[in-house]
Structures are given as C-alpha cells and as structure tokens.
Amino acid sequence: KGAVLATYDITELKRLEVMRKDFVANVSHELRTPITSITGFAETLLDGGIEDPDAAKEFLSIIHKESKRMQLLIEDLLTLSKLEDENFQLVLNKITLSDLLQEVIPPLKIRAEKKGLALTVQAEEDLNFKADQERIKQIFINLIDNAIHYTPDGGKIDVEVFSTSKYVHLKVSDTGIGITEKELPRIFERFYRVDRARSRNTGGTGLGLAIVKHIVEVHKGNIDIESEVGKGTTVHVYLPK
Ligand code: ADP
C-alpha cells in the first residue's frame, strides 16, 4: 500500500511541477507582448523621427494602452497569489447584497449600454449574509465584465440575487456567444481562453474566472456554468449563508 501511495504522490508532484512551469511560461508570454510593444514605440518616439504630432500621439496612446494591460495583469496576478496564500484570511462582515450591487452595477451598466447591451438587476430585498465584501464585489465585476465582452451588441445581461435555505445564489446570464461543451471544463484554468486573439483584443487577462473560482472556494461555496453556443451563458454562484 505504501508503495502505491508513493507512486501516486510522485505523479501528483509531477503534475504540479508541469502546472507551475506552464504558469511561469504563460505569465512571461503575457508580459512580454505588451512590453515589446511599449519599448518599440517609445524608442521610435525617442529617435525623434516622428514629426507629425498626431502620429506621435497615436504612439503614446498605444504605449498607454499596453501599460494598462500590464497593470491589469499584475493586479490580477497579485489577487490570485493573495487568494492562494496559505495564510490568507477572509474579512468577514455582514453584507447586504442590494447595497453592494448599488455600488458595483452603475459603472458596469454604463459600459454595457455603450455597447448596446441591456443590463438588468433583480435582488431579493434585505438579503444579507456574512462574506468578504471586496471579494464578492470582485465576483460580480469579473462575471459581468465577461458577459459584456462576450455578448454582441443588442444582447441582454441579467443579474439575479436570491436566497435558498442554505445558500445565497448569485446568477449572471447573458445572451452572448456561448461556450462549447468541450471548452467549458477548461475556462476556469488560469490563462485559458477559448479564442486567444479575440479575448486579448477585448482586454481580458485570462485570469478573471480563475479568480472568481478561488473567491468562491475560500467562501466554501460552489460555482456552476451552463452555456449554449450562439445562445448565451449563465454562471451560478452559491455561497453559504
Ligand atoms: P478573459 O480575461 O479572457 O475573459 P476569463 O478567465 O474571465 O478570461 O475567461 C476565460 C475564457 O472563458 C474567456 O477567454 C472566454 O473564452 C470564456 N468566457 C468567459 N465568460 C464567458 C461568457 N460569458 N461568454 C462566453 N465565453 C466566456
């Protein structure tokens, strides 16, 4: 029995080592792309060859955009590493979901509407429970952000919050592009994107769902996702009351 256990341990260690290497390779790649573009455009500007002020401004705006992308990525990496720290502690407080949504929703709604998407929110009144306020906000932001990214103009996004006997149930649904059954199990992996090129253009870091999953886990909750290609996606989060 001991021998079997040891074999299993080594396989598991190897698996973790492969995951760690993949992660480092992914982070390096994700950082290299923007930094290459930033140095390139900055060098061109420094060379002084660009006389047209509009062209110079265009270069600066690319540098700005790519710096922002790096900033987002580093923030997401720090968030993940905090959540994975063995000493990580949730800041638990009584939170009222309707109040929290009033803070989180307005900027997202503006973004959704700019893209021609209707965003509706239904929250059970006075629904409160103990949780980490900032982390719960992050769940909504990441899920709604995705719904906005992956739903074409004219679509709908619905956010619902209600309680069952044991859980607070958060639901974010969209009428977007959907995810195939084959891809579905992988989308919580760090840096996994169904369509890499498209997702990079829309500005995601590929870490959003990994972060959401971690937050749900540290709250001892569950996450579930249903999706149909061309119809839309619904993410369910269940948090213990
Ligand atoms: P990203 O920053 O790329 O959005 P996420 O971790 O948030 O990273 O999501 C991982 C991948 O899952 C996305 O690249 C996308 O392919 C897919 N995805 C996530 N949410 C949705 C959604 N609401 N509709 C369709 N695809 C989605």
Side-chain angles (χ1 to χ4, degrees):
K1 257 199 175 165
V4 173
L5 193 65
T7 322
Y8 168 79
D9 280 346
I10 288 168
T11 321
E12 177 64 9
L13 281 177
K14 274 197 184 139
R15 197 182 66 85
L16 289 174
E17 180 59 13
V18 169
M19 271 179 64
R20 194 191 63 79
K21 280 191 182 153
D22 278 357
F23 181 66
V24 173
N26 273 322
V27 171
S28 315
H29 175 80
E30 296 290 331
L31 286 171
R32 195 175 59 188
T33 313
I35 203 76
T36 305
S37 151
I38 291 168
T39 30
F41 284 104
E43 277 164 12
T44 311
L45 283 172
L46 284 170
D47 282 347
I50 308 289
E51 275 158 22
D52 176 8
D54 285 343
K57 203 164 174 197
E58 172 67 21
F59 281 19
L60 278 174
S61 81
I62 295 171
I63 293 175
H64 182 244
K65 192 180 111 209
E66 295 298 320
S67 314
K68 279 282 197 198
R69 161 180 287 289
M70 283 182 65
Q71 194 182 2
L72 267 183
L73 180 61
I74 290 165
E75 273 163 21
D76 277 357
L77 285 169
L78 282 173
T79 303
L80 261 185
S81 99
K82 267 190 211 147
L83 288 165
E84 285 178 347
D85 186 340
E86 53 190 77
N87 295 318
F88 173 76
Q89 286 205 322
L90 284 170
V91 183
L92 290 178
N93 275 307
K94 187 172 137 183
I95 60 175
T96 305
L97 279 166
S98 51
D99 294 348
L100 183 139
L101 286 169
Q102 267 177 18
E103 277 180 53
V104 172
I105 297 291
L108 292 163
K109 199 176 167 95
I110 292 173
R111 281 200 16 234
E113 283 168 359
K114 261 196 193 146
K115 212 190 145 185
L117 303 169
L119 173 64
T120 59
V121 180
Q122 281 181 60
E124 201 177 290
E125 235 176 277
D126 297 326
L127 175 53
N128 58 58
F129 73 125
K130 271 198 145 183
D132 189 322
Q133 169 146 315
E134 291 313 307
R135 311 285 168 188
I136 304 298
K137 279 188 193 164
Q138 189 82 59
I139 293 181
F140 282 111
I141 292 171
N142 291 9
L143 294 181
I144 299 171
D145 223 40
N146 280 345
I148 297 174
H149 277 153
Y150 303 107
T151 306
D153 310 10
K156 266 177 48 191
I157 299 169
D158 291 315
V159 180
E160 278 176 71
V161 166
F162 46 93
S163 62
T164 65
S165 56
K166 287 192 186 140
Y167 293 96
V168 170
H169 184 168
L170 321 176
K171 193 171 149 193
V172 176
S173 26
D174 63 56
T175 58
I177 61 172
I179 304 159
T180 63
E181 212 175 311
K182 192 169 137 256
E183 312 272 5
L184 215 46
R186 299 205 55 192
I187 60 166
F188 291 104
E189 291 171 22
R190 302 143 154 190
F191 295 116
Y192 189 81
R193 295 160 171 137
V194 174
D195 180 344
R196 205 176 180 101
R198 176 187 204 144
S199 175
R200 287 210 71 227
N201 282 333
T202 56
T205 61
L207 295 173
L209 285 178
I211 291 175
V212 169
K213 187 159 187 265
H214 266 289
I215 297 176
V216 173
E217 280 169 0
V218 291
H219 277 90
K220 309 225 181 311
N222 291 305
I223 185 160
D224 204 11
I225 181 159
E226 326 164 41
S227 191
E228 203 178 323
V229 174
K231 287 254 166 81
T233 303
T234 301
V235 184
H236 302 271
V237 170
Y238 305 90
L239 299 168
K241 273 186 182 165

